[in-house]
């Protein structure tokens, strides 16, 4: 008998006024009882509408059935057929816009907690290792992967499982991409990412950190001089955008990337970190996506009294995951919606002294289908802040494009690929993830890494014959 | 891990290290830099590639001990290893077509200016080097500069070596004497680059400066190294570090360089305590 409760099992979490002072994971995960109870809410629908919402088509009812039967490892194996990073995606997928959006239980109540169950299965698997990883038989072919974000890690993993000799080149000193330098510990513990990386190394993948492709070595040299038959570019979309308003270069104005990198990658929240962050008290974060929520919640945890999200549209348009918005509110982040910054004002020491904003209202729908925000004349006001974090988006870094002859890109910098195979305009060179789509999601980057791994395998195998 | 092959103190606060980093050495060009972390908890700091040996696969760095990280770095010895060492980063200095240049170096900025002077000199161009230091004890790379220059002038603040005065005094004299440079290359403290640029603007001589804002990743990802050049925001790590000296907003750069001053003083003192050394 299915569990017909209209509401899902609540996710155990640290209390808001406790967690907003520490960097430990906010949500604690279902217990076995909760997971089984939640799994029993799934109706195992014939048409499986939830699957169509998952970018990598995980067989959702199948893995949920396994959980309801207590076969957690089997549940994990079902997910593994199509996804490489379930412990990550179960935590960070925008489920309400993907799988859970289509769940029939959502029509007359809350949808099944698919992401939470996915996380449960993955965490169970990680906590109960099933023996050593078998190294596949080498097939004698070498592939290079640029960037160690979810796209690169997935592509490398899939190829390594087929016996390829894979080397990942990463510009930073640590592998993981946005998963380590962007998304904070309290939302995605770094030990989970490290586990994925250990697994790859167990499969024989070499990770060369501190190597900037395009500077230390070019894509062309990888293929011509280093014997790689194919290269996958998963370099992400790491170039921060600024607003181009007066005062943006004042001390105390950070890009979200810089702010989050100082905190997550360089661990400036720890006592012994050598990388500093200013001891600000009143922080404005500009933007309404996951990045903005992460920056705001980090600022709060570092001891800021007032943290504002300044976003020019309304609550409905906030692009962040629903859960992050709710968590941010519970933690005391103040939402200044329908407001747009127009100038950052200096104090006498040339640090941030305030931010001038103007109120907005929603007008006609724009190209994105969302109602376009327009300024309300005469509504300017000054927000009293000493730190401003700009989280209005990122674009692909031009470094690889500018150092790779013949690599076709869109005007805004995205690499052009064949969506079926991931191949770029250059034979043997593949790409995927944010480098192709612009800033998107972990699951899409992972899916692109899988597509390209398949494309690369077919390319190399066809060359052999 | 990147092994230190050679270590030499150039003066009491400036150290030279030759580091085994074949991947960096293969591609390094004058004007480019590396980013290193001394240990697993370390801060990422940028240092210019002062020299390189492609065959040996080594990179030479020359650094001034100014804070916690450079202090820790200076405590490593030959045979020890640096945890992370990435490069070459930034755009190499443009040297093509130059026939006659003045290279102006201030303090440890000389370490950054030297490889450029050397390259331009090797191209057959006439190089006039003007270097400035606070006093005689701090003079570095004298022999190297002499070899790479047609004329060489040392200035000290107190007159204890070379001539007493600022590098701008010497440069002005040369310009007044009718020396015509294709380019002046000025590398040193921001305040020095600001005044060299002010001077050369009056004389209408193209000037290139090497900017050294606070950096983290060095790949264009954080925007922390941004500065205003000709009214536009530029990222020093990928668009530079060399920029048109007449277009840089030095006042903004100076304000940005001082962001973490209070914090760093504190961590420097802690590091010094760790090594139980007097804070100078
Ligand atoms: C703060 C933040 C929060 C986010 N929250 C979510 C979320 O909740 N849910 C979600 O689904 N998505 C989220 N995202 C988006 C998601 O993280 C990205 O879409 C995803 O990481 C893209 O993966 P990728 O592999 O394409 O690139 P990245 O993760 O960006 O990795 C690219 C890697 O390539 C390296 N690299 C770049 N250039 C070079 C080079 N020339 N040579 C060598 N290495 C190079 C970079 O250093 C980096 O490590 C968030 C992003 C940020 C920044
Ligand atoms: C492209 C570039 C090339 C450089 N080349 C050289 C060189 O060849 N030799 C040399 O001695 N120095 C060089 N520097 C400066 C050097 O990076 C700083 O002296 C060093 O980071 C100081 O670190 P610290 O912890 O010892 O001192 P801190 O106490 O951290 O800082 C002392 C001062 O150094 C500056 N600084 C601090 N952190 C950074 C950082 N991450 N990036 C840049 N500046 C910082 C600040 O102005 C600060 O006030 C270069 C800087 C740049 C950007
Ligand atoms: S990967 Fe994401 S979209 Fe797919 S089932 Fe899991 S949580 Fe849903
Ligand atoms: S739509 Fe919902 S109830 Fe139906 S199979 Fe998918 S998860 Fe289960
Ligand atoms: S150092 Fe981060 S963008 Fe230049």
């Amino acid at each position: 008998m299915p569990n017909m409760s209209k509401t899902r099992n609540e996710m155990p979490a640290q209390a808001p006024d406790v967690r907003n002072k520490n960097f430990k994971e906010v949500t604690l995960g279902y217990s076995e009882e909760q997971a089984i109870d939640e799994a029993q809410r799934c109706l195992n629908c014939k048409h499986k509408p939830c699957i169509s919402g998952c970018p990598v088509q995980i067989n959702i009812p199948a893995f949920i059935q396994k959980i309801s039967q207590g076969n957690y490892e089997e549940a994990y194996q079902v997910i593994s057929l199509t996804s490489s990073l379930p412990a990550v995606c179960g935590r960070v997928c925008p489920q309400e816009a993907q799988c859970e959006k289509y769940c029939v239980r959502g029509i007359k109540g809350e949808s099944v907690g698919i992401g939470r169950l996915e996380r449960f299965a993955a965490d169970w698997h990680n906590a109960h290792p099933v023996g050593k990883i078998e190294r596949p038989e080498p097939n004698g072919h070498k592939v290079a992967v640029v960037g160690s974000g979810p796209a690169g890690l997935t592509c490398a993993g899939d190829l390594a499982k087929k016996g390829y000799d894979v080397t990942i080149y990463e510009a930073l000193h640590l592998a993981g991409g946005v998963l380590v330098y962007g998304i904070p510990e309290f939302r995605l513990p770094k030990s989970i990412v490290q586990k994925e990386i250990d697994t790859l190394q167990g499969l024989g993948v070499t990770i060369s950190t501190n190597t900037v492709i395009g500077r230390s070595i070019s894509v062309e040299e990888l293929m011509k001089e280093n014997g790689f038959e194919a290269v996958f570019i998963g370099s992400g979309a790491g170039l921060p955008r600024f607003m181009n308003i007066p005062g943006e270069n004042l001390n105390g104005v950070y890009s979200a990337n810089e702010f989050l990198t100082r905190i997550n990658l360089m661990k400036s929240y720890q006592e012994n970190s050598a990388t500093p962050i200013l001891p600000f008290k009143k922080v404005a974060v500009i933007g309404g996506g996951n990045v903005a929520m992460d920056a705001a919640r980090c600022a709060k945890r570092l001891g800021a009294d007032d943290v504002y999200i300044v976003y020019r549209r309304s609550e409905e348009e906030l692009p962040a995951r629903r859960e992050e918005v709710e968590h941010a509110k519970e933690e005391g982040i103040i939402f200044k919606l329908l407001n747009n910054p127009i100038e950052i004002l200096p104090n006498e020491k040339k640090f941030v002294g305030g931010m001038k904003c103007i109120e907005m209202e929603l007008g006609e729908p724009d190209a994105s289908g969302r109602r376009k925000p327009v300024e309300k004349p005469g509504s300017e006001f000054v927000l009293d802040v000493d730190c401003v974090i700009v989280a209005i988006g990122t674009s692909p870094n031009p470094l690889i494009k500018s150092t790779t002859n013949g690599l076709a890109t869109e005007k805004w910098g995205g690499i052009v690929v064949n969506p079926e195979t991931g191949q770029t305009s250059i034979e043997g060179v593949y790409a995927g993830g944010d480098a192709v789509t612009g800033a998107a999601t972990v699951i899409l980057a992972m899916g692109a890494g899988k597509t390209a791994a398949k494309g690369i395998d077919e390319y190399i195998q066809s060359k052999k014959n | 891990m990147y092994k230190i092959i050679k270590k030499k103190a150039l003066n009491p606060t400036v150290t030279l290290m030759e580091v085994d980093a074949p991947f960096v050495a293969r591609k390094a060009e004058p004007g480019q830099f590396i980013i290193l972390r001394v240990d697993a908890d370390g801060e990422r700091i940028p240092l210019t590639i002062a020299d390189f040996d492609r065959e040996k696969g080594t990179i030479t760095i020359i650094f001034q001990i100014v804070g916690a990280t450079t202090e820790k770095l200076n405590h490593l010895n030959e045979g020890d290893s640096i945890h992370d060492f990435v490069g070459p980063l930034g755009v190499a200095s443009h040297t093509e077509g130059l026939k006659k240049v003045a290279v102006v170096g201030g303090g440890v900025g000389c370490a950054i200016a030297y490889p450029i002077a050397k390259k331009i000199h090797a191209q057959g161009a006439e190089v006039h080097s003007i270097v400035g230091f606070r006093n005689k004890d701090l003079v570095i790379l004298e022999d190297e500069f002499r070899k790479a220059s047609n004329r060489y002038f040392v200035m000290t603040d107190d007159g204890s070596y070379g001539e007493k005065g600022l590098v701008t005094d010497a440069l002005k004299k040369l310009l007044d004497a009718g020396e015509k440079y294709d380019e002046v290359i000025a590398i040193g403290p921001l305040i020095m680059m600001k005044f060299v640029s002010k001077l050369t603007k009056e004389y209408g001589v193209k000037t290139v400066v090497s900017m050294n804002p606070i950096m983290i990743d060095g790949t264009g990802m954080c925007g922390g190294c941004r500065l205003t050049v000709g009214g536009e925001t530029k990222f020093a790590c990928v668009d530079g570090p060399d920029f048109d000296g007449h277009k840089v907003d030095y006042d903004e750069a100076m304000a940005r360089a001082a962001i973490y001053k209070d914090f760093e003083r504190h961590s420097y003192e802690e590091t010094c305590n760790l090594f139980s050394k007097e804070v100078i």
Side-chain angles (χ1 to χ4, degrees):
Chain A
M1 246 318 267
N3 167 0
M4 291 314 289
S5 162
K6 281 201 166 58
T7 52
R8 53 169 89 185
N9 279 268
E10 246 182 77
M11 183 65 138
Q14 286 192 69
D17 58 344
V18 173
R19 69 180 191 239
N20 68 10
K21 293 174 197 68
N22 70 48
F23 275 81
K24 291 194 210 112
E25 192 169 16
V26 167
T27 53
L28 306 170
Y30 280 159
S31 65
E32 274 185 68
E33 292 71 35
Q34 287 167 317
I36 291 176
D37 193 59
E38 186 63 26
Q40 285 171 344
R41 292 186 64 230
C42 173
L43 304 176
N44 200 1
C45 308
K46 217 157 112 211
H47 302 297
K48 310 176 177 38
C50 46
I51 298 183
S52 65
C54 172
V56 295
Q57 265 103 59
I58 290 178
N59 191 340
I60 294 166
F63 94 75
I64 293 182
Q65 291 314 302
K66 296 287 185 196
I67 292 181
S68 69
Q69 295 155 4
N71 295 328
Y72 312 129
E73 176 59 27
E74 286 175 33
Y76 173 81
Q77 294 305 336
V78 172
I79 301 170
S80 286
L81 292 175
T82 48
S83 172
S84 308
L85 303 167
V88 178
C89 293
R91 284 174 168 79
V92 306
C93 256
Q95 287 97 4
E96 72 277 7
Q98 299 181 355
C99 51
E100 293 175 11
K101 180 175 171 183
Y102 299 94
C103 173
V104 296
R105 295 299 309 265
I107 300 168
K108 280 203 195 130
E110 289 180 338
S111 57
V112 175
I114 300 172
R116 294 170 179 185
L117 290 171
E118 180 175 337
R119 165 182 169 170
F120 174 81
D123 286 356
W124 174 274
H125 170 81
N126 283 341
H128 302 83
V130 278
K132 239 175 87 235
I133 313 161
E134 290 291 327
R135 254 192 213 210
E137 197 60 35
N139 71 3
H141 296 281
K142 277 174 72 178
V143 178
V145 169
V146 182
S148 60
L153 293 177
T154 304
C155 185
D158 279 15
L159 289 169
K161 283 179 202 148
K162 292 198 162 89
Y164 287 90
D165 176 359
V166 184
T167 305
I168 300 182
Y169 293 99
E170 168 57 49
L172 294 171
H173 58 260
L174 198 64
V178 168
L179 307 183
V180 297
Y181 80 69
I183 304 181
E185 175 77 18
F186 59 78
R187 209 147 70 75
L188 178 64
K190 302 308 154 219
S191 56
I192 290 174
V193 184
Q194 194 51 50
K195 197 139 210 158
E196 298 299 339
I197 289 160
D198 293 346
T199 306
L200 281 190
Q201 286 177 322
L203 286 168
V205 173
T206 307
I207 301 184
S208 169
T209 51
N210 295 326
T211 316
V212 186
I213 302 303
R215 288 272 191 255
S216 313
I217 186 164
S218 69
V219 171
E220 200 178 348
E221 287 165 330
L222 285 174
M223 298 181 72
K224 291 211 171 125
E225 294 169 20
N226 296 62
F228 291 105
E229 291 165 71
V231 175
F232 173 76
I233 303 172
S235 51
L239 188 74
R241 267 185 236 136
F242 285 92
M243 315 248 318
N244 295 318
I245 58 174
E248 222 167 7
N249 291 352
L250 288 169
N251 287 349
V253 183
Y254 291 98
S255 76
N257 272 2
E258 177 179 1
F259 187 76
L260 291 169
T261 299
R262 282 181 182 270
I263 295 168
N264 299 320
L265 184 69
M266 307 310 296
K267 305 203 165 38
S268 48
Y269 64 90
Q270 288 176 356
E271 281 275 356
N272 60 351
S273 167
T275 305
I277 194 112
L278 290 173
F280 38 69
K281 283 292 161 213
K282 285 167 281 180
V283 180
V285 180
I286 307 171
N290 287 322
V291 184
M293 300 305 140
D294 285 345
R297 296 170 72 196
C298 282
K300 191 82 190 173
R301 281 164 173 73
L302 288 173
D305 298 325
D306 301 321
V307 181
Y308 304 96
I309 291 276
V310 179
Y311 180 58
R312 64 198 179 110
R313 299 182 196 255
S314 67
E315 169 125 19
E316 217 171 286
E317 288 90 7
L318 280 172
R321 291 180 78 219
R322 202 65 238 157
E323 188 181 55
E324 308 314 327
V325 175
E326 278 155 23
H327 280 160
K329 282 187 182 162
E330 287 167 14
E331 288 168 15
I333 309 295
I334 306 156
F335 282 69
K336 288 257 171 208
L337 302 169
L338 287 166
N339 281 295
N340 206 27
I342 45 181
E343 184 178 356
I344 302 167
L345 307 167
N347 69 10
E348 64 290 348
K349 287 176 168 167
K350 282 210 184 183
F351 279 60
V352 172
M355 185 166 84
K356 198 177 194 182
C357 303
I358 187 162
E359 291 178 20
M360 310 291 278
E361 56 195 349
L362 292 179
E364 295 297 304
D366 63 9
S368 72
R370 297 180 298 178
R371 290 173 66 196
K372 191 179 149 87
V374 286
E375 294 185 351
K376 273 201 233 168
S379 65
E380 292 90 345
F381 66 100
V382 173
L383 197 61
D384 177 22
V385 291
D386 56 11
C387 173
V388 174
I389 299 164
V390 185
I392 57 165
T394 53
S395 30
N397 191 313
L399 187 58
I400 294 203
K401 142 113 192 130
S402 65
T403 53
T404 310
N405 266 334
L407 185 68
T409 58
E410 305 282 358
K411 254 209 213 91
W412 50 268
I415 300 172
V416 178
V417 299
N418 173 344
E420 309 283 303
T421 60
Q423 201 198 311
T424 66
S425 54
I426 303 173
E427 188 185 328
V429 179
Y430 293 73
D434 283 5
V436 167
T437 56
T441 59
V442 172
I443 185 77
L444 287 172
M446 193 204 80
K450 277 197 167 298
T451 304
K454 196 160 157 276
I456 289 171
D457 180 46
E458 283 165 8
Y459 164 70
I460 290 178
Q461 298 308 325
S462 73
K463 257 195 345 181
K464 263 195 336 197
N465 305 324
Chain B
M1 297 293 256
Y2 304 80
K3 199 168 174 178
I4 299 164
I5 307 293
K6 184 173 134 190
K7 177 183 176 188
K8 191 172 138 196
L10 298 186
N11 75 28
T13 64
V14 176
T15 304
L16 174 151
M17 276 181 184
E18 196 179 330
V19 181
D20 182 47
F23 235 40
V24 187
R26 281 182 52 230
K27 281 286 189 83
E29 291 290 345
Q32 291 187 294
F33 62 97
I34 56 96
I35 285 187
L36 62 76
R37 288 201 317 153
V38 176
D39 52 38
D41 292 319
E43 172 182 38
R44 296 171 64 96
I45 66 158
L47 294 171
T48 303
I49 295 170
D51 211 343
F52 51 85
D53 187 327
R54 298 210 205 283
E55 261 151 45
K56 265 167 72 190
T58 60
I59 293 287
T60 302
I61 50 174
I62 297 177
F63 59 93
Q64 179 153 30
I65 302 150
V66 292
T69 303
T70 42
E71 173 74 30
K72 255 201 285 180
L73 180 60
N74 194 47
H75 274 264
L76 296 183
N77 290 308
E78 285 176 12
D80 292 345
S81 288
I82 296 172
H83 201 279
D84 297 291
F85 197 90
V86 54
L89 300 170
V91 181
S93 299
H94 293 289
T95 57
E96 292 117 68
L98 295 175
K99 295 275 177 294
K100 182 167 171 178
V101 299
V103 175
V104 183
V108 76
C110 291
I112 307 177
Y114 165 66
I116 300 167
K118 180 173 145 187
K119 181 169 177 192
I120 297 174
H121 191 254
Q123 281 171 202
E126 184 172 344
V127 176
H128 295 179
S129 297
I130 306 160
V131 296
F133 298 93
R134 283 210 309 280
N135 62 51
K136 180 170 189 259
D137 294 338
L138 301 179
V139 175
I140 57 169
L141 300 171
E142 176 165 2
D143 294 342
E144 288 84 350
F145 258 108
R146 282 189 188 280
K147 266 189 231 149
S149 319
N150 302 72
R151 299 178 74 186
Y152 173 77
F153 306 88
V154 193
M155 308 295 290
T156 48
D157 291 1
D158 62 357
S160 55
Y161 194 63
E163 221 175 299
K164 182 179 159 95
L166 302 171
V167 286
T168 39
D169 301 335
L171 180 61
K172 185 167 189 314
K173 244 193 221 166
L174 288 164
L175 291 168
D176 283 337
E179 296 284 3
K180 293 263 179 287
Y181 301 113
D182 298 336
E183 199 170 290
V184 171
I185 299 161
I187 306 176
L190 284 166
I191 191 82
M192 181 206 97
M193 296 194 282
K194 175 178 169 171
F195 282 103
V196 169
S197 299
K198 193 161 166 256
L199 176 72
T200 55
K201 193 158 187 191
E202 286 165 26
Y203 287 78
V205 186
K206 183 180 172 203
T207 299
V208 173
V209 295
S210 177
M211 299 299 289
N212 45 19
I214 292 174
M215 295 186 175
I216 304 184
D217 56 300
T219 65
M221 182 269 276
C222 75
C225 63
R226 66 195 186 278
L227 41 110
T228 305
V229 183
E232 274 179 59
T233 295
K234 297 279 180 194
F235 289 5
C237 68
V238 283
D239 301 322
D242 291 357
F243 291 99
D244 181 339
H246 296 155
K247 292 194 177 153
V248 172
D249 181 340
Y250 294 99
D251 294 338
E252 180 186 277
M254 281 188 249
R256 287 186 69 78
I259 301 185
Y260 298 105
K261 232 185 189 141
D262 295 342
F263 186 97
E264 276 155 348
R265 193 72 216 156
H266 175 70
S267 76
Y268 183 29
E269 282 163 17
E270 273 185 358
T271 311
C272 290
N273 286 340
L274 197 68
F275 296 124
S276 38
K277 194 183 134 201
E278 289 278 301
V279 176
I280 30 162

